[in-house]
Amino acid sequence: MKKEVNIKQVRYDAEEVFRIGGFYCSEAIVSSIRMNFDPSMPKELIKSASGFPIGVGRSKCMCGAISGAIIALGYFFGRGAQSADADDTKGNKCMELSYELQDSFRKNHQGTLCCHIHVEGMDLLNAEHKKQCVAFTGEMAVKTAEIIARELNMKLLYDDVEVR
């Protein structure tokens, strides 16, 4: 696990891999968090994000960027063992952080997580759609990084960075 993370690098890595078509939004976020926080994170976690693009399997429901971000939060703060306890600390903490993340998106984007609303009237193959989704991906990668760094007491760098 790294001790400090450059927020501009997190954004760049998530946006660029989506922009060039290497990964979709949800996969790009998990990939960026993995590269910038914990390269030992299993690559299989990126695979777990593959069903979420375009609003969960192209259904245009919840924005895939939110899904990928929540998968990344779950890796760091989720439960690894069963618990029937309603006061389960780890489970409750992960839900609290996931709520914070989705709430920030909702506040910035028409009060909704719904992909269908965000792409309404757009051709999914045009530049306008791609530009918007790249921006959503970068925004959620940054918010995810900020939450993880805060909760793990990691140093976040915001200065200019020469991207890889």
Side-chain angles (χ1 to χ4, degrees), residues 95-155:
M95 286 189 280
E96 174 188 315
L97 299 174
S98 296
Y99 184 89
E100 175 186 347
L101 186 131
Q102 67 80 36
D103 194 47
S104 73
F105 185 91
R106 187 186 314 266
K107 286 176 180 174
N108 291 329
H109 303 289
Q110 300 174 288
T112 186
L113 307 176
C114 183
C115 177
H116 177 73
I117 291 172
H118 296 297
V119 300
E120 189 172 6
M122 291 182 186
D123 174 354
L124 295 184
L125 300 176
N126 76 15
E128 177 189 22
H129 169 254
K130 181 83 167 208
K131 182 179 177 182
Q132 174 181 270
C133 292
V134 165
F136 286 173
T137 298
E139 176 188 341
M140 286 296 93
V142 165
K143 184 65 177 175
T144 305
E146 290 172 341
I147 291 170
I148 294 168
R150 180 191 73 216
E151 295 299 314
L152 297 179
N153 295 311
M154 296 175 72
K155 183 177 182 179

Side-chain angles (χ1 to χ4, degrees), residues 3 5 20 29 33 37 54 72 83 89 95 106 112 144 161:
K3 295 184 186 316
V5 175
I20 65 171
I29 290 171
I33 295 298
F37 279 84
I54 314 170
S83 174
T89 305
M95 286 189 280
R106 187 186 314 266
T112 186
T144 305
V161 62

Side-chain angles (χ1 to χ4, degrees), residues 12-29:
Y12 176 82
D13 290 344
E15 288 181 350
E16 188 63 13
V17 75
F18 183 35
R19 185 179 293 109
I20 65 171
F23 283 132
Y24 285 114
C25 52
S26 53
E27 300 159 321
I29 290 171

